[in-house]
Structures are given as C-alpha cells and as structure tokens.
Amino acid sequence: MNLWVLLDTQIEDVCTYLSDKNHEITSGLSEEELSLFETNAKLSFYTVFNRFLLASGILVLILALALLYFTRQYATQQKQRNRPPTSAVLARIYGAIMKTYTVHCSCNRIELSLCGEPRARVICHCIDCRELLDGPFYPVTVWTDQTASITHGESNLSTYKHPRLKMKKYFCTNCGEVLFNTNSVDWRAVPQWLIAKNHNNQLPQELTAVTHVFYEQRIIDVSDNLPKHLRGFSSPLFEG
Ligand SMILES: [Zn+2]
Ligand SMILES: [Zn+2]
C-alpha cells in the first residue's frame, strides 16, 4: 500500500517538473543558441522536404517518359498493322502522331478523315473502275474502313451498289460528290482529286501514285516515269 502512495507521489512530481517551462530540453540555452537551434531545425525540415519534392519530381518524370514510350510503341505497332487504336483516348494520341488528312464533299456536309498511310496509291486502268466511276482511269489512294472514316455528316451519305460488280460507291445525297468506293473486301478507295481539292488543289506528295495497274485494259496511254503493271502489282510491266 505504501508503495502505491510513493509511486503516485513520484508521478505527480514528474508531471509538475515536466509542466514547468524552465525544465524544457532547451532550458539553459542562451537566446542566440536558442535561435540557432530553431534555425537548424527549420533547415533540417526544408532539406527533408526538398528531397521529398525532388524524389517525387523524378518519379513523375520517369512515369511520364514511360507513358510516352509505350504510347509511341503502341502507335507504331498499330501503324504497322495499318489500324488506329480502338480506345478513343489512344486514337486521339495516334491521330496526333500520325498524319491525318481531312476531306469534305463539295457541299461540306460530309467529312472524311484519312489517318496514317494508305494501303496503296495507284492509277488504276481497269474496266471495273471505269464502269463504276465513269472516267478513263482512276488515280486513287486505298484505305481500310478504320483508317478512312466518316467523322461528320454520315446521315448524308448514300450508297450505290453496282448490279454486277462487287463494288459500291459512296456519295453525298446533297451534292452528289463521290467520297470513296469499296471493293469486295471493303477497302475504301478515295479519289486523289478529292484529297487534292481539299488541300489547295495540291495532292500531298506522300499520297501521290507510285505505279499504274491494269495498264493492259487502258483506253488512254499515259506518258510518265511510273512503272506500268499490265494487271495487279505482281504482274509483268508494260514495255512500250
Ligand atoms: Zn455534299
Ligand atoms: Zn480499277
């Protein structure tokens, strides 16, 4: 019993001792020493804070670089497959990295976006193109339905299906302009004149034709330096 009384008294003494300001750890220091002590404590805090900021900054930078790197890798892979990403956000980034060409019909109601590189860029002399499009030959860029997409005014788009050929043409109901035609595998053939008309009458160099195809079906001779395949890409060249 006496032991508890003794302990209680001791605890009370200790509390009284600690609550006395003069017995703080800094007691006994001069004003100058005290202010130096406080400054050092502040400096130490700032040093730790600065290190924390620096470490966070480096971490954020590493994450941003990693994100950029993987996005670019992804976009490049998609470009090799000639397909834009399915996610809207990535498609936006892809669009910013890849070149995009925007074309409209004459009345501007329909907008067609061409993204990345076309599958082919040729001047076609085949009888089917002639029959569908009513021209002597067809200078064209060929895209997939993912790289050539209607981005505005789709309700104005009408389709004409050729009764015999597996070809369709897509045109504006209002102005009649043909935006593209499709073949049996639904690739989209966009006329070069439509792209040129939307780029100050100048076809972008990277979209110009690199070869003639089906030259043996021609009705007009063309004199230029491009190779002239008698039929498809792997057929013999015309020697004239
Ligand atoms: Zn139109
Ligand atoms: Zn053709």
mmCIF file of all heavy atoms in Angstrom, residues 123-130 133 138 140 167 213-214 217, ligand 2:
data_model
loop_
_atom_site.group_PDB
_atom_site.id
_atom_site.type_symbol
_atom_site.label_atom_id
_atom_site.label_comp_id
_atom_site.label_asym_id
_atom_site.label_seq_id
_atom_site.Cartn_x
_atom_site.Cartn_y
_atom_site.Cartn_z
ATOM 1 N N ILE A 123 -2.628 4.373 -109.976
ATOM 2 C CA ILE A 123 -3.538 4.846 -111.027
ATOM 3 C C ILE A 123 -4.078 3.581 -111.691
ATOM 4 O O ILE A 123 -3.308 2.817 -112.275
ATOM 5 C CB ILE A 123 -2.789 5.738 -112.042
ATOM 6 C CG1 ILE A 123 -2.235 6.966 -111.312
ATOM 7 C CG2 ILE A 123 -3.718 6.155 -113.179
ATOM 8 C CD1 ILE A 123 -1.344 7.857 -112.165
ATOM 9 N N CYS A 124 -5.364 3.350 -111.516
ATOM 10 C CA CYS A 124 -5.952 2.092 -111.992
ATOM 11 C C CYS A 124 -6.628 2.297 -113.352
ATOM 12 O O CYS A 124 -7.407 3.235 -113.536
ATOM 13 C CB CYS A 124 -6.960 1.555 -110.975
ATOM 14 S SG CYS A 124 -7.544 -0.088 -111.434
ATOM 15 N N HIS A 125 -6.322 1.378 -114.288
ATOM 16 C CA HIS A 125 -6.901 1.467 -115.639
ATOM 17 C C HIS A 125 -7.914 0.360 -115.876
ATOM 18 O O HIS A 125 -8.292 0.104 -117.014
ATOM 19 C CB HIS A 125 -5.769 1.352 -116.680
ATOM 20 C CG HIS A 125 -4.811 2.507 -116.657
ATOM 21 N ND1 HIS A 125 -4.864 3.553 -117.544
ATOM 22 C CD2 HIS A 125 -3.766 2.777 -115.822
ATOM 23 C CE1 HIS A 125 -3.884 4.417 -117.272
ATOM 24 N NE2 HIS A 125 -3.198 3.968 -116.234
ATOM 25 N N CYS A 126 -8.380 -0.305 -114.792
ATOM 26 C CA CYS A 126 -9.248 -1.483 -115.004
ATOM 27 C C CYS A 126 -10.643 -1.066 -115.484
ATOM 28 O O CYS A 126 -11.120 0.034 -115.211
ATOM 29 C CB CYS A 126 -9.314 -2.340 -113.737
ATOM 30 S SG CYS A 126 -10.518 -1.784 -112.532
ATOM 31 N N ILE A 127 -11.235 -2.030 -116.179
ATOM 32 C CA ILE A 127 -12.554 -1.782 -116.791
ATOM 33 C C ILE A 127 -13.634 -1.587 -115.717
ATOM 34 O O ILE A 127 -14.595 -0.837 -115.903
ATOM 35 C CB ILE A 127 -12.892 -2.947 -117.770
ATOM 36 C CG1 ILE A 127 -14.035 -2.532 -118.689
ATOM 37 C CG2 ILE A 127 -13.172 -4.242 -117.048
ATOM 38 C CD1 ILE A 127 -14.202 -3.496 -119.850
ATOM 39 N N ASP A 128 -13.433 -2.239 -114.536
ATOM 40 C CA ASP A 128 -14.421 -2.134 -113.444
ATOM 41 C C ASP A 128 -14.463 -0.711 -112.876
ATOM 42 O O ASP A 128 -15.542 -0.147 -112.666
ATOM 43 C CB ASP A 128 -14.088 -3.115 -112.315
ATOM 44 C CG ASP A 128 -14.260 -4.559 -112.753
ATOM 45 O OD1 ASP A 128 -14.785 -4.778 -113.864
ATOM 46 O OD2 ASP A 128 -13.851 -5.450 -111.993
ATOM 47 N N CYS A 129 -13.288 -0.154 -112.607
ATOM 48 C CA CYS A 129 -13.242 1.237 -112.098
ATOM 49 C C CYS A 129 -13.878 2.182 -113.106
ATOM 50 O O CYS A 129 -14.603 3.105 -112.740
ATOM 51 C CB CYS A 129 -11.791 1.668 -111.846
ATOM 52 S SG CYS A 129 -11.082 0.958 -110.350
ATOM 53 N N ARG A 130 -13.590 1.890 -114.385
ATOM 54 C CA ARG A 130 -14.131 2.763 -115.443
ATOM 55 C C ARG A 130 -15.661 2.690 -115.444
ATOM 56 O O ARG A 130 -16.348 3.705 -115.559
ATOM 57 C CB ARG A 130 -13.577 2.280 -116.781
ATOM 58 C CG ARG A 130 -13.275 3.411 -117.715
ATOM 59 C CD ARG A 130 -12.214 3.086 -118.740
ATOM 60 N NE ARG A 130 -12.415 1.883 -119.500
ATOM 61 C CZ ARG A 130 -11.464 0.971 -119.706
ATOM 62 N NH1 ARG A 130 -10.258 1.164 -119.193
ATOM 63 N NH2 ARG A 130 -11.698 -0.095 -120.425
ATOM 64 N N LEU A 133 -17.017 4.357 -112.095
ATOM 65 C CA LEU A 133 -16.737 5.769 -111.806
ATOM 66 C C LEU A 133 -16.749 6.682 -113.030
ATOM 67 O O LEU A 133 -16.547 7.893 -112.913
ATOM 68 C CB LEU A 133 -15.400 5.881 -111.070
ATOM 69 C CG LEU A 133 -15.447 5.200 -109.693
ATOM 70 C CD1 LEU A 133 -14.129 4.596 -109.324
ATOM 71 C CD2 LEU A 133 -15.916 6.185 -108.642
ATOM 72 N N TYR A 138 -8.254 5.782 -113.011
ATOM 73 C CA TYR A 138 -8.645 6.181 -111.659
ATOM 74 C C TYR A 138 -7.414 6.371 -110.751
ATOM 75 O O TYR A 138 -6.860 5.391 -110.255
ATOM 76 C CB TYR A 138 -9.569 5.096 -111.081
ATOM 77 C CG TYR A 138 -10.265 5.427 -109.789
ATOM 78 C CD1 TYR A 138 -10.535 6.737 -109.412
ATOM 79 C CD2 TYR A 138 -10.681 4.411 -108.939
ATOM 80 C CE1 TYR A 138 -11.195 7.020 -108.231
ATOM 81 C CE2 TYR A 138 -11.340 4.689 -107.745
ATOM 82 C CZ TYR A 138 -11.590 6.001 -107.402
ATOM 83 O OH TYR A 138 -12.236 6.282 -106.237
ATOM 84 N N VAL A 140 -5.926 6.915 -107.357
ATOM 85 C CA VAL A 140 -6.634 6.613 -106.115
ATOM 86 C C VAL A 140 -5.698 6.258 -104.955
ATOM 87 O O VAL A 140 -4.589 5.764 -105.170
ATOM 88 C CB VAL A 140 -7.632 5.456 -106.411
ATOM 89 C CG1 VAL A 140 -6.908 4.147 -106.641
ATOM 90 C CG2 VAL A 140 -8.670 5.314 -105.333
ATOM 91 N N MET A 167 -18.723 -4.001 -106.148
ATOM 92 C CA MET A 167 -18.214 -2.665 -105.850
ATOM 93 C C MET A 167 -19.381 -1.745 -105.516
ATOM 94 O O MET A 167 -20.463 -1.868 -106.077
ATOM 95 C CB MET A 167 -17.443 -2.101 -107.053
ATOM 96 C CG MET A 167 -16.122 -2.809 -107.344
ATOM 97 S SD MET A 167 -15.444 -2.288 -108.931
ATOM 98 C CE MET A 167 -14.419 -0.931 -108.455
ATOM 99 N N VAL A 213 -1.688 0.355 -112.530
ATOM 100 C CA VAL A 213 -2.090 -1.058 -112.521
ATOM 101 C C VAL A 213 -3.177 -1.282 -113.586
ATOM 102 O O VAL A 213 -3.864 -0.336 -113.976
ATOM 103 C CB VAL A 213 -2.591 -1.530 -111.127
ATOM 104 C CG1 VAL A 213 -1.444 -1.647 -110.148
ATOM 105 C CG2 VAL A 213 -3.678 -0.610 -110.578
ATOM 106 N N PHE A 214 -3.281 -2.531 -114.031
ATOM 107 C CA PHE A 214 -4.209 -2.934 -115.098
ATOM 108 C C PHE A 214 -4.034 -2.076 -116.361
ATOM 109 O O PHE A 214 -5.000 -1.727 -117.032
ATOM 110 C CB PHE A 214 -5.666 -2.913 -114.591
ATOM 111 C CG PHE A 214 -5.902 -3.931 -113.510
ATOM 112 C CD1 PHE A 214 -5.859 -3.562 -112.172
ATOM 113 C CD2 PHE A 214 -6.094 -5.267 -113.827
ATOM 114 C CE1 PHE A 214 -6.021 -4.502 -111.166
ATOM 115 C CE2 PHE A 214 -6.254 -6.215 -112.814
ATOM 116 C CZ PHE A 214 -6.217 -5.845 -111.490
ATOM 117 N N GLN A 217 -5.624 -2.847 -119.751
ATOM 118 C CA GLN A 217 -7.045 -2.557 -120.010
ATOM 119 C C GLN A 217 -7.277 -1.073 -120.314
ATOM 120 O O GLN A 217 -8.407 -0.619 -120.367
ATOM 121 C CB GLN A 217 -7.885 -2.964 -118.787
ATOM 122 C CG GLN A 217 -7.866 -4.462 -118.507
ATOM 123 C CD GLN A 217 -8.708 -4.861 -117.284
ATOM 124 O OE1 GLN A 217 -9.562 -4.108 -116.840
ATOM 125 N NE2 GLN A 217 -8.449 -6.053 -116.768
HETATM 126 ZN ZN ZN B 2 -9.611 -0.475 -111.035
#
